Amino acid sequence: MPLPTNEGAQPDIAAVPTTLSLSQMADPSKVICFELDVVGERNQAITVVRSGDLKFVPLPGDSTTAGSDFQLAIHARQQEAGAEDHEDDIRVVHDDVPLAKLGPGQRIKIRAYAIKGVGYAHTKWAPASACFYKFDTHVAVDEAKMPQAAPAMEEMIDKLVAICPMGVFEKSSSKKKGDKVVVDATRCTLCRECLYSDELSPFVAITKSTTSVVFTVESMGQFSVKQLVPLALKVFAGRCRSLAENVETTAPNVRQGLLGSQ
């Protein structure tokens, strides 16, 4: 959950994510408060104010004492997420983001309120920084079409390994009979260098799978990726159910309208 600020402010404090989103709080209408109070050092020309200087301040009713409703709600959420995602402190995710520079004796004092928001309202509330997919790449080498004489095949394999800038092809180190070329399709970027070669292209085939995709998600920090993907799927499923309900309730009215117009 990012911290809101004026749109034109630079650097933008709204880009600093916290470790706790409001969905983890007992009451989603509440806000989380952070305070910052930094004074420029007298013996330094510049004092850099960083995101780590933002400290969580409990608001009335949000006591951090053990046994409070606020802490119990957080603990329950952490237990649900798993022990490896356990976080005891409410703080900013990255404590080294530079926010401002102060001269000797200068002071900056801020009270910032992190409020609930959703990604389609503003990108500063989006929990994912990057989200994309690509179809899985399949790379195959037909060794049966290569020259079967040992010196000629070894030479052809060496050329195939050398021509790929991404290291997709590698000569097999196994002495057993079988494939002499090891293929790592995950490294392929479709540069097509192996296909541009008239000598090598008859032995190489590159295709895209229509049933298998590689999905990449990067988190801003409010949720771990392991939490973010299942949560996004739940939100998507809820919207699909809502759409289906709207269609079911609208369909009788549409049919009545059509019958009435006849």
Side-chain angles (χ1 to χ4, degrees):
M1 181 179 57
L3 302 170
T5 187
N6 294 332
E7 294 295 333
Q10 294 292 335
D12 193 355
I13 198 174
V16 180
T18 65
T19 57
L20 182 68
S21 73
L22 283 176
S23 62
Q24 293 173 290
M25 298 176 66
D27 183 358
S29 65
K30 291 182 180 178
V31 299
I32 297 176
C33 180
F34 285 83
E35 285 187 352
L36 181 148
D37 190 358
V38 180
V39 180
E41 298 288 343
R42 294 289 182 180
N43 57 350
Q44 294 184 10
I46 295 176
T47 299
V48 180
V49 181
R50 300 187 182 275
S51 54
D53 296 317
L54 285 162
K55 305 300 181 183
F56 168 69
V57 178
L59 294 172
D62 291 343
S63 174
T64 56
T65 57
S68 67
D69 293 340
F70 185 68
Q71 282 296 307
L72 290 175
I74 295 173
H75 180 70
R77 186 75 180 196
Q78 290 167 346
Q79 292 296 107
E80 180 184 347
E84 64 274 13
D85 296 317
H86 181 77
E87 290 287 350
D88 291 326
D89 299 330
I90 301 172
R91 55 180 175 78
V92 295
V93 175
H94 309 290
D95 59 4
D96 58 347
V97 179
L99 301 178
K101 294 181 180 180
L102 302 179
Q106 291 183 329
R107 181 182 183 185
I108 181 171
K109 186 175 182 180
I110 295 175
R111 170 169 284 196
Y113 296 93
I115 63 175
K116 179 184 178 181
V118 288
Y120 63 76
H122 197 288
T123 54
K124 66 186 177 185
W125 282 305
S129 59
C131 182
F132 61 91
Y133 73 92
K134 63 178 181 180
F135 289 104
D136 204 3
T137 304
H138 290 244
V139 182
V141 178
D142 191 350
E143 296 181 10
K145 293 183 179 180
M146 289 184 174
Q148 297 303 305
M153 176 175 279
E154 289 293 328
E155 181 183 357
M156 197 67 64
I157 293 175
D158 289 339
K159 290 181 180 179
L160 184 61
V161 172
I163 201 172
C164 180
M166 303 307 297
V168 173
F169 307 104
E170 185 178 346
K171 186 183 293 186
S172 175
S173 59
S174 176
K175 296 182 180 180
K176 298 180 180 180
K177 292 184 179 181
D179 295 339
K180 298 183 180 298
V181 181
V182 179
V183 178
D184 186 359
T186 59
R187 296 185 178 182
C188 183
T189 59
L190 299 179
C191 68
R192 303 176 68 86
E193 288 294 331
C194 56
L195 299 181
Y196 291 147
S197 170
D198 295 334
E199 186 179 15
L200 300 175
S201 59
F203 317 129
V204 182
I206 300 178
T207 58
K208 282 288 187 179
S209 172
T210 57
T211 58
S212 176
V213 297
V214 179
F215 196 62
T216 301
V217 178
E218 296 179 3
S219 173
M220 287 290 291
Q222 299 95 322
F223 295 97
S224 67
V225 174
K226 188 169 65 174
Q227 294 172 310
L228 185 58
V229 173
L231 181 60
L233 291 176
K234 289 181 181 178
V235 173
F236 179 70
R239 292 180 178 177
C240 290
R241 286 192 294 269
S242 178
L243 176 61
E245 291 173 359
N246 289 337
V247 171
E248 290 178 359
T249 56
T250 305
N253 297 331
V254 173
R255 285 196 296 268
Q256 290 178 3
L258 293 175
L259 291 174
S261 62
Q262 293 178 355

